[in-house]
Amino acid sequence: MTGSGSCVYGIFEDKRIAKLAYNQLKKKYQTYLCTSYNSSKELKI
């Protein structure tokens, strides 16, 4: 999952907590926030 550098990742069940962690980490590190997409949920149109 990493290239030539270090990588740390976290898995959160709560998006709000993930955003809190992101906001703290971005103060000191180059930080990215990614979310998942659940394709098994039916789309209601």
Side-chain angles (χ1 to χ4, degrees), residues 1-8:
M1 290 185 58
T2 65
S4 61
S6 299
C7 176
V8 176

Side-chain angles (χ1 to χ4, degrees), residues 21-34:
Y22 165 75
N23 286 327
Q24 290 298 311
L25 290 168
K26 76 177 185 177
K27 293 176 184 177
K28 189 171 180 180
Y29 306 103
Q30 185 176 14
T31 309
Y32 300 95
L33 178 64
C34 300

Side-chain angles (χ1 to χ4, degrees), residues 8-44:
V8 176
Y9 65 94
I11 299 172
F12 301 87
E13 290 186 24
D14 185 321
K15 194 172 189 176
R16 183 183 63 83
I17 301 296
K19 285 184 178 181
L20 288 172
Y22 165 75
N23 286 327
Q24 290 298 311
L25 290 168
K26 76 177 185 177
K27 293 176 184 177
K28 189 171 180 180
Y29 306 103
Q30 185 176 14
T31 309
Y32 300 95
L33 178 64
C34 300
T35 61
S36 63
Y37 172 75
N38 187 347
S39 63
S40 66
K41 289 185 178 181
E42 289 185 28
L43 295 176
K44 295 182 180 182

